Amino acid sequence: MVEKVYNMTNSNDRTVEMLISDENVHYLHMIFNKEEGLPEHFSNSTVYMTVLKGTLSIGLDEQEIHEYKQGSILKIPYKTKMNVGNKHDEILELIVVKAPAPVK
């Protein structure tokens, strides 16, 4: 088999899982219920976020929180302050790609 297959969790519970972590890319899958999210942090690479379900509530640097619905794809620059969460009743599901892969 030439390809390598990865599987995402299929759940309604809070999930933050690293699916791929190599020298090229970090590929993460996240699920958040209402009032859940990530601690405020700075991006350690260029970050691409795809909203698979729900509405993403995100504050970047000193901006007000913006909201993005299912189907939205965000590109967030390196070293941007991020405040990621779900402020809605519907489950939020994201794919997060960091490219190039952050250097430790």
Side-chain angles (χ1 to χ4, degrees):
M1 203 165 152
V2 175
E3 71 275 8
K4 180 164 181 166
V5 177
Y6 302 89
N7 293 299
M8 296 187 295
T9 298
N10 184 6
S11 174
N12 290 332
D13 296 327
R14 184 183 196 282
T15 301
V16 177
E17 59 186 344
M18 177 76 72
L19 299 174
I20 302 171
S21 177
D22 64 24
E23 67 280 359
N24 300 307
V25 69
H26 286 183
Y27 190 101
L28 298 97
H29 175 234
M30 300 180 186
I31 300 169
F32 299 117
N33 287 290
K34 186 174 185 175
E35 303 305 327
E36 294 179 337
L38 298 174
E40 187 173 86
H41 65 286
F42 285 87
S43 58
N44 57 358
S45 182
T46 300
V47 176
Y48 302 87
M49 289 187 158
T50 303
V51 182
L52 299 178
K53 281 194 233 177
T55 302
L56 168 65
S57 300
I58 187 166
L60 300 173
D61 285 337
E62 302 309 317
Q63 292 183 154
E64 295 291 319
I65 291 176
H66 292 146
E67 295 192 332
Y68 298 95
K69 299 212 175 279
Q70 178 179 344
S72 299
I73 302 170
L74 285 68
K75 179 182 179 185
I76 301 164
Y78 176 57
K79 292 189 178 179
T80 300
K81 183 167 65 170
M82 301 172 62
N83 187 343
V84 177
N86 181 6
K87 303 214 178 285
H88 300 275
D89 291 331
E90 186 181 0
I91 290 170
L92 170 63
E93 186 171 9
L94 303 169
I95 292 296
V96 177
V97 177
K98 297 180 179 185
V103 178
K104 295 185 191 236

